Amino acid sequence: MSALLNVEDLHVNVAEGKILKGLTLAINPGEVHAIMGPNGSGKSTLANLLAGRPGYQVQSGSVTFAGINLLELEPEERAHAGLFLAFQYPVEIPGVSNMEFLKASVDHTAAANDQEPLSTVDFMRRTKQVAADLDLDPEFLKRGVNEGFSGGEKKRNEILQMLLLAPKLAVLDETDSGLDIDALQTVAKGVNSFRSADNGVLMITHYQRLLDYIVPDVIHVLADGQIIRSGGAELALELEEKGYGWLTDQPA
Amino acid sequence: MSSQANQSTPTQPVDLAGSLIGLAKGQPSALANPLLEQVRARALTSSGAANALKERWKYTPAKRYFQAMYDHQQGKSAQSQPAIELADLPTGCTWQALDNDNHSATLELLGDDNLWQRYPLADVISQSSNAGYCLEINESQSDTLTLKLQPGLGFLIIRLGANVSATVSIEYAQGSDFAGHWIASALAAGAQLNQALLINSAADSTNRWLLNQVDLEANSQFNGHVHAFAESSQRLETHLRLQGQGAQANLTSASITAKGSSFDHQVVMEHQAANCQSQQRIHNIADGGSKNSFNGRIHILPGAHGTNAQLQNRNLAIAAGAEINTKPELEIYNDDVSCSHGATIGQLDEQALFYLRSRGVPPAQARDLLLRAFIAQCYGGVLAEQAQAAADRLLNGALRR
Ligand SMILES: Nc1ncnc2c1ncn2[C@@H]1O[C@H](COP(=O)(O)OP(=O)(O)OP(=O)(O)O)[C@@H](O)[C@H]1O
Ligand SMILES: [Mg+2]
């Protein structure tokens, strides 16, 4: 089975600083991986690099996504290829209605994959259904993208986009932060409904709690730009108990 | 207090204001004529300084504007009759052409401080008695009154009676050449005027120049919405005077200048009475090779206690070689006021662009969505839909790349 995402010995600089220092990670179709790690260890850097945010310099290493060299693609091409990043801090875009934005997003992605676009009626119906599943009031679809949304509403709006775009790999950067207990369960339900034998999920989180709702196949600990430990669900419990010092204080 | 943000290629020296001033110093000018002499003299005395006049004309090709104005005033260029058209005259309104007698009487009504002497256009029009009209609105109107501005020089005074509310839309006739108009609206106590303006000039038309003056008595309200989409040269002078207690003025302005064009918007918001409020939201877009200028002055005069005045101005340069000039100015003779006044010049928000691209929207379309959103925040009033259509034509045409 060939990996959905294959990151090999990746070194990345941001603004002259070395952030990722030889990161290796492989995700197979059907798998859910979780990345945990201290603040500033490079988790969002990895997520942003995958999505193609400008300003990240790859020094060495490779990233292969669904068999293609991801690093050569523009951000929109990565989206068309099936990569999705739910941002840690989604931006507000006043004046662009959420619905208009979602339609543009879905239509361009369909067109790039030689698919027929959904009719406006079907699209609206589907979007309203997904919003309802996520307990998002349909009024949010009329508002500006993330404009004045609460922290939790922004996160649910990210999951809404994920469900509409149905990517091959969804990278969720602290999507659980800022969610109340009910919203966490709603979002987890959304992510679980998205899981299939063909796609993958990479969740970045600080909290073991999320992993109770979305059970990962593999948990990685990212510290100082490297994955220093990988394991099963029991690793998260151990981390919860002992903190990261238990791992990072050990001599390499 | 005054601040200036400037991001521009060097501007050419403006010679008309220069030559007005030159005349003041006794230097000869190609435009010298008796009328110009008078206008110059008054402009200089009323504004108090040659520099102020020069400042107001820094970004408009003054020589062309003044020449066109004189040609019309002296009958050298064709003058449309009427210079301003009202589509339908509803009940409760009167429409009257101003002749020699009532022309000057009407001018007197505008106030004894001769505001117009500050504005050369008004000064010249005030001496051209055949181009003026007076619209009196004595009953509240549910339907919009539609005005069309024709080429040439025109003057209209709109008088709203006490507690009367009305909506007025103002557009230009198609394909007009030079158009210089002065519209003075006088709101009696408790009146409300909603005014929507669309300046939508095609590339082949020449200069458009409008002085939009509004005087507000106690507890009256003005809601003004400017939409200017320039493919040629446009100048708009907006002068609002809050003269009675509790008056309120809200202004939005959306403008786009396409390559080879310019828009110069000069706003004066004068708080003369206590407890008045003003709000302004001004968004401008300049394409490469165009010039978009905004000068927003807020004057808070002695006695204007409890004033609340807000001005927010944002400008986007969307290509190299775009010139944006913005100069917010505050003059406050009073402590007891709340005033905020800000201007920014920038490019499209990179974070937002990346967000859209990460969702599969290609850069050209992402940029387009953001531009439309930026300018749409200042559409308003009864012409909002037409404004959007006009802006879309520009964004889909001249600004598309
Ligand atoms: N644009 C930038 N300029 C300079 N430093 C940056 C930039 N972006 C990230 N960094 C630095 O890179 C390091 C890793 O940041 P990153 O956001 O990847 O951490 P993280 O693991 O996601 O942390 P958190 O758990 O707090 O979200 C940090 O030290 C951060 O300050
Ligand atoms: Mg992070």
Side-chain angles (χ1 to χ4, degrees):
Chain A
M1 180 167 54
S2 73
L4 185 57
L5 179 75
N6 207 343
V7 180
E8 270 183 51
D9 195 23
L10 189 65
H11 291 254
V12 173
N13 288 8
V14 182
E16 307 304 313
K18 291 183 180 164
I19 309 297
L20 299 184
K21 305 168 183 173
L23 187 142
T24 295
L25 174 72
I27 300 177
N28 293 311
E31 290 180 353
V32 173
H33 288 225
I35 292 189
M36 304 183 82
N39 293 132
S41 56
K43 304 182 298 296
S44 293
T45 301
L46 173 64
N48 284 315
L49 178 96
L50 292 176
R53 185 188 283 276
Y56 295 80
Q57 299 107 39
V58 176
Q59 303 299 310
S60 62
S62 66
V63 181
T64 312
F65 176 66
I68 44 181
N69 178 359
L70 188 71
L71 300 178
E72 280 181 351
L73 301 185
E74 296 293 332
E76 61 277 10
E77 294 171 326
R78 298 179 192 207
H80 299 159
L83 185 98
F84 179 89
L85 167 60
F87 289 91
Q88 184 172 358
Y89 305 109
V91 295
E92 299 197 9
I93 313 182
V96 177
S97 88
N98 217 4
M99 194 59 116
E100 181 184 20
F101 156 64
L102 293 169
K103 183 90 169 64
S105 169
V106 168
D107 283 356
H108 284 291
T109 304
N113 287 291
D114 293 325
Q115 289 163 358
E116 285 295 314
L118 278 182
S119 74
T120 304
V121 174
D122 288 345
F123 170 78
M124 303 263 279
R125 191 176 297 139
R126 164 120 181 86
T127 307
K128 282 182 184 153
Q129 180 58 51
V130 176
D133 291 346
L134 291 168
D135 284 338
L136 263 181
D137 192 308
E139 281 302 306
F140 281 96
L141 301 170
K142 295 184 194 154
R143 281 165 60 178
V145 177
N146 294 322
E147 187 180 359
F149 287 24
S150 76
E153 288 159 356
K154 283 181 186 163
K155 297 301 175 77
R156 274 181 282 167
N157 199 30
E158 295 290 284
I159 296 303
L160 171 77
Q161 294 167 42
M162 177 191 81
L163 292 172
L164 288 178
L165 288 168
K168 290 198 184 95
L169 177 68
V171 181
L172 312 180
D173 192 354
E174 295 198 26
T175 300
D176 54 330
S177 301
L179 293 182
D180 63 40
I181 306 279
D182 291 345
L184 181 66
Q185 295 196 22
T186 309
V187 162
K189 218 167 76 191
V191 175
N192 284 326
S193 75
F194 164 75
R195 291 176 75 163
S196 80
D198 304 321
N199 61 29
V201 177
L202 177 61
M203 303 186 286
I204 294 168
T205 182
H206 287 293
Y207 305 107
Q208 144 69 26
R209 201 182 56 187
L210 175 70
L211 309 183
D212 288 340
Y213 296 109
I214 308 172
V215 181
D217 299 293
V218 189
I219 295 175
H220 308 275
V221 177
L222 177 59
D224 195 22
Q226 282 183 318
I227 288 182
I228 56 166
R229 179 70 72 97
S230 300
E234 73 290 347
L235 182 55
L237 294 169
E238 221 168 338
L239 285 170
E240 182 108 310
E241 204 176 300
K242 302 180 183 168
Y244 292 114
W246 157 63
L247 289 172
T248 52
D249 292 347
Q250 283 179 351
Chain B
M1 206 183 340
S2 134
S3 66
Q4 178 156 20
N6 220 318
Q7 174 186 303
S8 61
T9 48
T11 37
Q12 288 165 359
V14 170
D15 15 33
L16 203 282
S19 69
L20 269 176
I21 290 148
L23 272 170
K25 294 180 188 145
Q27 293 158 1
S29 159
L31 286 172
N33 66 34
L35 183 60
L36 176 64
E37 281 285 354
Q38 292 167 28
V39 171
R40 169 194 47 80
R42 276 199 296 269
L44 292 179
T45 28
S46 66
S47 69
N51 278 344
L53 180 68
K54 209 168 180 170
E55 196 60 39
R56 289 200 294 275
W57 281 88
K58 205 166 164 183
Y59 302 114
T60 302
K63 190 161 193 160
R64 263 202 278 145
Y65 274 68
F66 279 62
Q67 188 69 60
M69 173 172 71
Y70 293 126
D71 288 351
H72 281 278
Q73 203 275 338
Q74 295 179 355
K76 290 182 193 159
S77 299
Q79 169 76 38
S80 297
Q81 283 301 347
I84 299 177
E85 272 175 43
L86 175 67
D88 292 298
L89 185 67
T91 52
C93 299
T94 63
W95 174 267
Q96 189 186 7
L98 301 177
D99 59 25
N100 271 329
D101 295 336
N102 61 17
H103 182 81
S104 43
T106 307
L107 287 175
E108 291 299 318
L109 289 173
L110 289 173
D112 52 14
D113 52 354
N114 294 351
L115 165 90
W116 61 88
Q117 292 183 359
R118 172 195 170 95
Y119 295 101
L121 177 65
D123 203 3
V124 165
I125 288 176
S126 69
Q127 299 173 56
S128 316
S129 56
N130 59 349
Y133 306 88
C134 181
L135 170 64
E136 298 224 18
I137 307 176
N138 302 310
E139 287 172 23
S140 289
Q141 301 294 319
S142 50
D143 293 338
T144 300
L145 286 97
T146 305
L147 294 172
K148 191 144 268 181
L149 307 186
Q150 300 288 349
L153 292 177
F155 168 54
L156 173 67
I157 177 162
I158 302 176
R159 299 171 59 78
L160 265 78
N163 300 314
V164 164
S165 72
T167 300
V168 171
S169 77
I170 304 167
E171 289 181 80
Y172 281 85
Q174 281 280 305
S176 45
D177 64 359
F178 173 80
H181 290 85
W182 175 21
I183 297 178
S185 304
L187 281 60
Q192 179 176 337
L193 175 62
N194 307 309
Q195 186 200 63
L197 169 65
L198 177 59
I199 313 175
N200 181 28
S201 65
D204 57 354
S205 69
T206 57
N207 314 316
R208 282 178 177 172
W209 183 3
L210 176 63
L211 168 58
N212 189 21
Q213 176 197 340
V214 183
D215 290 350
L216 294 105
E217 285 181 23
N219 302 314
S220 64
Q221 183 176 350
F222 173 73
N223 300 309
H225 306 285
V226 174
H227 313 91
F229 306 113
E231 290 179 81
S232 59
S233 172
Q234 304 169 348
R235 178 182 178 85
L236 174 62
E237 294 162 334
T238 303
H239 197 120
L240 302 156
R241 299 193 291 187
L242 298 147
Q243 297 173 323
Q245 292 220 9
Q248 197 177 330
N250 302 307
L251 180 69
T252 64
S253 176
S255 87
I256 304 175
T257 50
K259 189 173 172 22
S261 72
S262 68
F263 179 51
D264 187 349
H265 192 183
Q266 305 266 328
V267 179
V268 180
M269 182 71 74
E270 241 181 277
H271 281 262
Q272 300 179 353
N275 302 318
C276 293
Q277 292 189 35
S278 68
Q279 290 224 17
Q280 301 180 61
R281 191 168 68 245
I282 317 278
H283 285 192
N284 301 318
I285 293 176
D287 196 6
S290 79
K291 186 153 65 172
N292 203 326
S293 307
F294 172 70
N295 186 340
R297 288 168 147 298
I298 297 177
H299 289 191
I300 300 174
L301 300 175
H305 302 287
T307 290
N308 184 349
Q310 316 285 338
L311 188 161
Q312 183 236 62
N313 168 228
R314 292 177 60 203
N315 303 281
L316 279 184
I318 60 168
E323 178 179 332
I324 288 171
N325 307 292
T326 171
K327 187 173 185 186
E329 290 177 276
L330 280 176
E331 273 182 45
I332 305 180
Y333 302 98
N334 212 316
D335 293 338
D336 169 28
V337 299
S338 150
C339 199
S340 87
H341 197 287
T344 61
I345 298 180
Q347 276 84 41
L348 283 179
D349 180 357
E350 288 297 328
Q351 306 277 352
L353 259 183
F354 175 66
Y355 188 81
L356 294 173
R357 292 182 68 186
S358 79
R359 296 298 181 253
V361 184
Q365 282 82 0
R367 184 175 155 279
D368 203 65
L369 270 176
L370 294 178
L371 282 181
R372 282 171 213 272
F374 172 78
I375 204 73
Q377 288 168 51
C378 291
Y379 296 152
V382 288
L383 291 175
E385 273 178 35
Q386 271 154 283
Q388 177 162 6
D392 282 352
R393 271 199 299 279
L394 206 53
L395 290 165
N396 293 335
L399 274 68
R400 172 75 85 203
R401 71 192 110 237

